[in-house]
């Protein structure tokens, strides 16, 4: 569950102390993992330039893994120095998005990720692998399920402990998400798969329900439904954590989250927009 995906796309910089206050509020909600920030180029994503300060300022709660995105070794080293409990590499099933987001092809990205995974493994830091554009690419249109499945297989073979499937543009429907997941599940077990659905077309919750039916039990969400991706023009926010908690509870799952504290954290997140 992320603060990062919500905050990276805000037009005006959210002050560091407000980011820290949001993460501290989320820490009280019962999460086992919070994606706090990303160690990326400040020229590419100025909103994340304070990654080290955010990691240093949060009040860590026992039992929570505070995670960060790391596109390359430079990012990993900074995340390691900032004591990230888990890191995430992020690739794409679409060549055009890979180029736009991390300035390299898919195969070049795999070469860049190898030393990150190697260093993380040495340091006993788990690595999550994000795959963007699992349904559609904002630049090149529909993405074939096989392209997603291939990358998921590569990430797992390289040592990722979890693969998060990103419907970056929010174009996915239960049908297209199901087709994509069925292809992915031919290559990797459902226990290592997470769903990361943006809510551009209001279908993220339906897509989660379709994923649950296929055995997926980990979902990313952003407090207050903030965010998007700076390199996916028009992509609306991530699915709102409050709505995901409500859905999963209604489906009979125990999320371990405090719904009242979560609503307060979501209101705080939305309020950040009004403040800046
Ligand atoms: P590049 O320009 O090819 O990299 O960018 P470079 O190696 O040539 O370096 C360029 C400059 O960046 C240099 O600085 C480096 O030192 C610096 P300069 O010499 O010009 O002053 N640099 C760094 N600085 C800090 N941390 C680093 C780092 N690496 C290089 N780690 C790069 C390649 C990957 C760095 C760049 O493209 C980048 O930072 N991209 C990040 C884009 C991003 O954060 N996108 C949003 C997150 S992904 C997402 O939202 C999708 C997701 O939510 C899932 C979904 O929804 O699909 C995960
Ligand atoms: Mg995202």
């Amino acid at each position: 569950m992320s603060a990062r995906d919500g905050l990276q796309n805000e037009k005006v910089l959210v002050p560091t102390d407000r980011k820290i206050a949001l993460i501290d509020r989320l820490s009280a909600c019962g999460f086992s993992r919070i994606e706090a920030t990303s160690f990326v180029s400040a020229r590419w994503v100025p909103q994340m330039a304070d990654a080290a300060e955010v990691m240093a300022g949060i009040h860590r709660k026992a039992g929570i893994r505070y995670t960060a995105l790391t596109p390359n070794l430079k990012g990993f080293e900074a995340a390691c120095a900032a004591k990230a409990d888990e890191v995430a590499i992020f690739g794409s099933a679409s060549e055009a998005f890979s180029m736009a987001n991390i300035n390299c092809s898919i195969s070049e990205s795999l070469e860049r990720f190898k030393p990150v995974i190697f260093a993380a493994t040495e340091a006993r830091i788990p690595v999550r692998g994000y795959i963007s554009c699992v349904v559609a690419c904002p630049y090149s249109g529909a993405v074939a399920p096989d392209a997603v499945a291939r990358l998921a297989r590569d990430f797992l073979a390289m040592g990722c402990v979890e693969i998060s499937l990103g419907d970056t543009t929010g174009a996915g429907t239960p049908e297209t998400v199901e087709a994509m997941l069925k292809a992915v599940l031919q290559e990797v077990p459902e226990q290592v798969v997470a769903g990361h659905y943006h809510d551009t077309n209001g279908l993220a919750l339906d897509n989660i329900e379709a994923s649950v039916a296929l055995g997926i039990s980990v979902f990313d969400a952003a407090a207050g439904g903030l965010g998007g991706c700076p390199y996916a023009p028009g992509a609306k926010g991530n699915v709102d954590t409050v709505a995901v908690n409500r859905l999963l509870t209604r489906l009979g799952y125990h999320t371990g989250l405090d719904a009242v504290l979560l609503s307060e954290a979501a209101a705080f997140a939305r309020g950040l927009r009004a403040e800046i």
Side-chain angles (χ1 to χ4, degrees), residues 4-5 8 130 132 166-168 196-198 228-229 238:
R4 184 276 312 170
D5 208 347
Q8 72 179 14
Y130 273 109
S132 285
D167 178 18
T168 318
H196 177 110
Y197 303 133
H198 286 254
C229 174
N238 270 63

Side-chain angles (χ1 to χ4, degrees), residues 99-217:
M99 217 62 217
N101 196 41
I102 52 173
N103 205 24
C104 62
S105 69
I106 296 172
S107 68
E108 283 164 348
S109 75
L110 294 178
E111 291 309 310
R112 278 192 199 172
F113 297 148
K114 276 181 194 160
V116 175
I117 296 172
F118 182 79
T121 308
E122 291 269 285
R124 296 179 189 277
I125 296 175
V127 183
R128 175 179 231 225
Y130 273 109
I131 301 179
S132 285
C133 301
V134 297
V135 174
C137 168
Y139 308 106
S140 58
V143 170
D146 281 355
V148 186
R150 263 197 314 276
L151 197 52
R153 184 196 57 207
D154 289 347
F155 275 4
L156 191 65
M158 284 162 65
C160 290
V161 297
E162 186 172 73
I163 319 282
S164 177
L165 301 170
D167 178 18
T168 318
T169 65
T173 63
E175 293 73 30
T176 53
V177 165
E178 187 184 293
M180 178 277 297
L181 280 175
K182 282 186 171 161
V184 169
L185 295 176
Q186 302 273 328
E187 301 290 347
V188 303
E190 72 243 26
Q191 294 88 340
V192 304
V193 172
H196 177 110
Y197 303 133
H198 286 254
D199 203 25
T200 318
N201 294 332
L203 288 174
L205 292 177
D206 300 284
N207 294 338
I208 288 178
E209 219 169 326
S211 308
V212 168
L214 289 174
I216 311 303
S217 59

Side-chain angles (χ1 to χ4, degrees), residues 4 37-42 48 50-53 55 67-72 74-84 87 90:
R4 184 276 312 170
T37 187
S38 51
F39 289 87
V40 295
S41 161
M48 296 286 112
D50 59 359
E53 291 78 15
M55 291 297 283
T67 77
L69 262 57
T70 54
N72 51 22
K74 184 176 171 113
F76 173 75
E77 280 159 5
C80 212
K83 300 196 168 26
V87 296
F90 48 106

